[in-house]
Amino acid sequence: MSGAGLASANYKLTPLSRSDRADLFAHFSDAATVEYMDIEPLAEVADADAVIAWASGLAVSGNGIRWAIRDRTGAFVGTAGFNALVRDRGSRGEVAYDVIRARRRHGVMTEVLPVVLRYGFESLGLRRIEALVTAANAGSAALLERHGFSREGVLRDYAYWKGRYWDQWLYARLADD
Protein backbone atom coordinates (compact mmCIF):
# COMPACT_ATOMS: atom_id res chain seq x y z
CA MET A 1 0.00 0.00 0.00
CA SER A 2 2.28 2.76 -1.18
CA GLY A 3 -0.10 5.53 -2.09
CA ALA A 4 2.92 7.23 -3.63
CA GLY A 5 2.25 9.74 -6.35
CA LEU A 6 -1.21 10.90 -5.35
CA ALA A 7 -2.00 14.36 -6.58
CA SER A 8 -4.73 16.89 -7.19
CA ALA A 9 -4.53 19.93 -9.45
CA ASN A 10 -2.58 21.96 -6.87
CA TYR A 11 -1.26 19.48 -4.31
CA LYS A 12 0.96 16.42 -4.18
CA LEU A 13 0.65 13.76 -1.50
CA THR A 14 3.67 11.67 -0.56
CA PRO A 15 4.05 9.25 2.36
CA LEU A 16 5.43 11.02 5.43
CA SER A 17 9.18 10.56 5.62
CA ARG A 18 12.23 11.85 7.46
CA SER A 19 12.50 14.69 4.93
CA ASP A 20 9.23 16.08 6.40
CA ARG A 21 10.74 16.28 9.90
CA ALA A 22 11.25 20.06 10.19
CA ASP A 23 7.93 20.92 8.52
CA LEU A 24 6.05 18.43 10.68
CA PHE A 25 7.63 19.86 13.81
CA ALA A 26 6.72 23.43 12.87
CA HIS A 27 3.15 22.28 12.16
CA PHE A 28 2.56 20.13 15.24
CA SER A 29 4.33 22.48 17.64
CA ASP A 30 1.53 24.98 16.98
CA ALA A 31 -0.98 24.71 19.86
CA ALA A 32 -3.83 25.82 17.57
CA THR A 33 -3.08 22.95 15.18
CA VAL A 34 -3.28 20.26 17.86
CA GLU A 35 -6.20 21.83 19.76
CA TYR A 36 -8.63 19.06 18.76
CA MET A 37 -6.00 16.32 18.37
CA ASP A 38 -4.84 13.61 20.74
CA ILE A 39 -1.32 15.01 21.00
CA GLU A 40 0.32 17.84 22.88
CA PRO A 41 2.22 20.43 20.85
CA LEU A 42 5.59 18.97 19.90
CA ALA A 43 8.37 20.31 22.11
CA GLU A 44 11.41 19.57 19.95
CA VAL A 45 12.23 18.56 16.39
CA ALA A 46 13.05 15.01 17.51
CA ASP A 47 9.39 14.60 18.53
CA ALA A 48 8.48 14.73 14.84
CA ASP A 49 10.49 11.52 14.41
CA ALA A 50 7.92 9.67 16.55
CA VAL A 51 5.10 10.88 14.30
CA ILE A 52 7.03 9.79 11.22
CA ALA A 53 7.81 6.41 12.81
CA TRP A 54 4.12 5.94 13.62
CA ALA A 55 3.16 6.77 10.02
CA SER A 56 5.86 4.45 8.65
CA GLY A 57 4.64 1.67 10.93
CA LEU A 58 1.09 2.07 9.64
CA ALA A 59 2.28 1.73 6.06
CA VAL A 60 4.58 -1.25 6.74
CA SER A 61 1.89 -3.14 8.65
CA GLY A 62 -0.79 -2.31 6.08
CA ASN A 63 -2.92 -0.78 8.83
CA GLY A 64 -2.97 2.74 7.39
CA ILE A 65 -1.11 5.43 5.50
CA ARG A 66 -0.32 9.08 6.19
CA TRP A 67 0.78 11.53 3.52
CA ALA A 68 2.49 14.90 3.61
CA ILE A 69 0.58 17.44 1.54
CA ARG A 70 2.70 19.88 -0.48
CA ASP A 71 1.58 22.61 -2.83
CA ARG A 72 2.92 23.32 -6.34
CA THR A 73 5.90 25.20 -4.89
CA GLY A 74 6.78 22.24 -2.67
CA ALA A 75 5.66 24.02 0.51
CA PHE A 76 4.34 21.74 3.25
CA VAL A 77 0.67 22.48 3.95
CA GLY A 78 -0.42 19.55 6.15
CA THR A 79 -1.03 15.82 6.34
CA ALA A 80 -3.83 13.45 5.44
CA GLY A 81 -4.45 9.75 5.32
CA PHE A 82 -5.94 6.72 6.98
CA ASN A 83 -5.09 6.30 10.66
CA ALA A 84 -6.62 2.83 10.68
CA LEU A 85 -7.75 0.23 8.20
CA VAL A 86 -10.02 -2.59 9.31
CA ARG A 87 -10.25 -5.72 7.17
CA ASP A 88 -11.41 -8.24 9.77
CA ARG A 89 -15.20 -8.58 9.43
CA GLY A 90 -15.39 -5.31 7.53
CA SER A 91 -13.75 -3.07 5.01
CA ARG A 92 -13.39 0.37 6.50
CA GLY A 93 -10.85 3.06 7.11
CA GLU A 94 -10.57 6.06 9.40
CA VAL A 95 -9.62 9.19 7.47
CA ALA A 96 -7.86 12.07 9.20
CA TYR A 97 -6.25 15.31 8.08
CA ASP A 98 -4.73 18.56 9.30
CA VAL A 99 -3.64 21.76 7.59
CA ILE A 100 -1.12 24.37 8.70
CA ARG A 101 -2.75 27.37 10.30
CA ALA A 102 -1.77 29.81 7.51
CA ARG A 103 -3.56 27.67 4.91
CA ARG A 104 -6.75 26.80 6.80
CA ARG A 105 -9.97 27.79 5.09
CA HIS A 106 -8.12 28.22 1.78
CA GLY A 107 -9.57 25.12 0.13
CA VAL A 108 -6.66 22.73 0.72
CA MET A 109 -8.77 19.87 2.06
CA THR A 110 -11.66 20.70 -0.26
CA GLU A 111 -9.28 19.75 -3.07
CA VAL A 112 -7.28 17.00 -1.33
CA LEU A 113 -10.04 15.07 0.47
CA PRO A 114 -11.63 13.74 -2.75
CA VAL A 115 -8.22 12.35 -3.80
CA VAL A 116 -7.81 10.60 -0.45
CA LEU A 117 -11.37 9.24 -0.55
CA ARG A 118 -10.93 7.98 -4.12
CA TYR A 119 -7.75 6.17 -3.04
CA GLY A 120 -9.64 4.61 -0.12
CA PHE A 121 -12.63 3.46 -2.11
CA GLU A 122 -10.89 2.50 -5.35
CA SER A 123 -7.30 1.49 -4.54
CA LEU A 124 -7.91 0.11 -1.04
CA GLY A 125 -11.36 -1.25 -1.87
CA LEU A 126 -12.95 0.18 1.27
CA ARG A 127 -16.70 -0.09 1.70
CA ARG A 128 -16.88 2.53 4.46
CA ILE A 129 -14.74 5.50 5.39
CA GLU A 130 -15.17 6.96 8.85
CA ALA A 131 -13.90 10.11 10.55
CA LEU A 132 -13.83 10.90 14.24
CA VAL A 133 -14.19 14.61 14.88
CA THR A 134 -13.64 16.13 18.29
CA ALA A 135 -16.90 17.77 19.30
CA ALA A 136 -16.73 21.53 18.69
CA ASN A 137 -14.45 21.18 15.64
CA ALA A 138 -17.11 22.69 13.41
CA GLY A 139 -14.75 23.30 10.49
CA SER A 140 -13.85 19.65 10.17
CA ALA A 141 -17.49 18.59 10.53
CA ALA A 142 -18.56 20.99 7.78
CA LEU A 143 -15.80 19.74 5.46
CA LEU A 144 -16.92 16.15 5.87
CA GLU A 145 -20.58 17.03 5.33
CA ARG A 146 -19.70 18.90 2.11
CA HIS A 147 -18.03 15.70 0.90
CA GLY A 148 -20.97 13.40 1.48
CA PHE A 149 -20.30 12.21 5.03
CA SER A 150 -23.17 11.77 7.46
CA ARG A 151 -22.88 12.34 11.18
CA GLU A 152 -23.98 9.03 12.64
CA GLY A 153 -23.78 9.94 16.28
CA VAL A 154 -21.89 11.22 19.27
CA LEU A 155 -19.45 8.93 21.03
CA ARG A 156 -19.63 10.38 24.53
CA ASP A 157 -16.35 10.51 26.49
CA TYR A 158 -14.88 8.34 23.73
CA ALA A 159 -11.30 9.56 23.91
CA TYR A 160 -8.95 10.58 26.69
CA TRP A 161 -6.04 12.97 26.20
CA LYS A 162 -4.73 16.20 27.65
CA GLY A 163 -6.06 15.19 31.05
CA ARG A 164 -9.73 14.85 30.13
CA TYR A 165 -12.34 12.89 28.20
CA TRP A 166 -13.55 14.16 24.84
CA ASP A 167 -16.76 13.49 22.94
CA GLN A 168 -16.22 12.44 19.33
CA TRP A 169 -18.64 12.89 16.46
CA LEU A 170 -18.71 9.80 14.26
CA TYR A 171 -18.96 10.58 10.55
CA ALA A 172 -19.10 8.02 7.76
CA ARG A 173 -19.48 7.72 4.03
CA LEU A 174 -20.12 4.53 2.09
CA ALA A 175 -18.57 3.67 -1.24
CA ASP A 176 -21.92 4.06 -3.02
CA ASP A 177 -23.01 7.27 -1.25
Side-chain angles (χ1 to χ4, degrees):
M1 169 186 24
S2 73
L6 293 182
S8 68
N10 296 296
Y11 301 98
K12 183 176 180 184
L13 287 74
T14 56
L16 274 177
S17 70
R18 181 125 171 109
S19 64
D20 298 310
R21 183 180 196 229
D23 291 325
L24 202 59
F25 171 71
H27 179 44
F28 286 149
S29 64
D30 178 0
T33 292
V34 300
E35 177 181 8
Y36 297 117
M37 297 171 69
D38 62 350
I39 62 172
E40 296 287 343
L42 300 186
E44 53 190 53
V45 176
D47 293 338
D49 294 334
V51 176
I52 294 165
W54 166 79
S56 296
L58 284 177
V60 168
S61 68
N63 292 324
I65 188 165
R66 195 69 177 214
W67 295 283
I69 306 168
R70 294 193 176 275
D71 67 14
R72 286 181 179 183
T73 71
F76 178 90
V77 295
T79 75
F82 294 97
N83 287 353
L85 295 172
V86 176
R87 301 295 189 173
D88 186 30
R89 294 184 288 171
S91 181
R92 65 183 179 272
E94 178 191 339
V95 71
Y97 43 82
D98 45 80
V99 174
I100 64 170
R101 188 186 329 191
R103 298 293 289 272
R104 286 191 202 140
R105 306 231 184 327
H106 288 104
V108 174
M109 287 312 303
T110 295
E111 184 172 327
V112 169
L113 187 58
V115 172
V116 173
L117 296 177
R118 188 174 323 108
Y119 182 81
F121 288 130
E122 295 176 6
S123 298
L124 297 177
L126 299 175
R127 170 73 181 137
R128 175 183 170 93
I129 296 178
E130 300 172 340
L132 293 173
V133 177
T134 301
N137 189 347
S140 186
L143 172 75
L144 293 167
E145 290 170 6
R146 283 193 312 271
H147 289 277
F149 282 76
S150 298
R151 187 186 312 186
E152 295 185 336
V154 177
L155 304 172
R156 297 179 307 139
D157 284 353
Y158 187 77
Y160 185 85
W161 64 75
K162 299 177 184 166
R164 63 172 274 212
Y165 285 95
W166 298 80
D167 290 351
Q168 297 286 287
W169 294 329
L170 174 61
Y171 278 86
R173 179 175 160 186
L174 301 180
D176 54 7
D177 280 350

